[in-house]
Amino acid sequence: MCEVFNSVIVDARERPIVSMLEDIRVYIMRRWADNRDRIIEYPREVLPRIRIKVEKQADASGKWVSTYAGRDKYEVTSIHGGKEKFVVDLKTHECSCRKFQLSRIHCAHAMTCIRKMCFNVDNFVENCYKKATYSECHQHVVYPVNGPNL
Ligand SMILES: [Zn+2]
């Protein structure tokens, strides 16, 4: 994120401090307004980049078979019958592979369990990856400012 921001303000960094800050303010004002407009039109609950990751996990989940053990816990094994075996807890959003806990996006093992039970996949995506949270983050407006002539 830092590198992307630096590349955006590369021209502004050459300017005196007040002009540089003004360029950054205008950039942020424009960017937040664009983000706010885009998210209003976005029809789904889960944000686009996260949706792609979820769909990849859905594709990968075909390689796994889950067995319900009770109390939202599952044992997940490979369809190829290897030694790999994972424990998934859908209630606490945990998998023994730890991807679910680290990224807060369900891994292929958890996805296998979610699909088996026909649960809504979006309910297992963390709130920080949802449209409502994104909208809330961008609700504030960077207000326009009059020029030095006023
Ligand atoms: Zn896992």
Side-chain angles (χ1 to χ4, degrees):
M1 286 175 67
C2 187
E3 289 300 318
V4 169
F5 186 72
N6 267 335
S7 71
V8 168
I9 65 163
V10 73
D11 292 335
R13 287 189 311 187
E14 303 294 323
R15 307 179 79 185
I17 187 77
V18 174
S19 300
M20 179 186 77
L21 291 174
E22 179 61 13
D23 285 356
I24 292 171
R25 186 192 63 78
V26 169
Y27 166 73
I28 292 172
M29 180 176 68
R30 221 182 279 144
R31 181 172 167 81
W32 279 41
D34 290 346
N35 287 347
R36 221 176 293 119
D37 290 346
R38 273 190 295 167
I39 199 65
I40 288 170
E41 296 166 7
Y42 186 67
R44 305 186 83 164
E45 187 180 5
V46 177
L47 297 175
R49 289 186 185 177
I50 304 303
R51 165 88 31 218
I52 291 168
K53 290 181 180 187
V54 167
E55 287 170 2
K56 281 184 183 173
Q57 296 303 325
D59 293 343
S61 70
K63 298 174 185 168
W64 301 95
V65 176
S66 65
T67 307
Y68 183 61
R71 297 187 181 159
D72 296 316
K73 295 186 187 317
Y74 301 82
E75 186 174 287
V76 180
T77 53
S78 172
I79 58 169
H80 303 299
K83 292 181 180 177
E84 287 185 292
K85 197 180 275 191
F86 298 95
V87 174
V88 173
D89 187 332
L90 288 182
K91 189 173 186 180
T92 59
H93 294 202
E94 291 179 358
C95 178
S96 55
C97 78
R98 298 183 37 88
K99 285 182 187 171
F100 202 178
Q101 296 93 303
L102 292 173
S103 67
R104 306 313 296 168
I105 300 169
H106 40 275
C107 57
H109 317 118
M111 180 62 102
T112 303
C113 306
I114 293 166
R115 292 177 109 188
K116 177 180 183 157
M117 303 306 279
C118 298
F119 292 142
N120 183 356
V121 173
D122 291 351
N123 292 344
F124 293 90
V125 175
E126 195 71 21
N127 284 338
C128 64
Y129 299 130
K130 292 186 177 175
K131 179 180 176 177
T133 305
Y134 190 88
S135 295
E136 197 174 317
C137 287
H138 289 85
Q139 72 174 338
H140 302 287
V141 174
V142 177
Y143 288 101
V145 177
N146 289 319
N149 57 325
L150 295 176

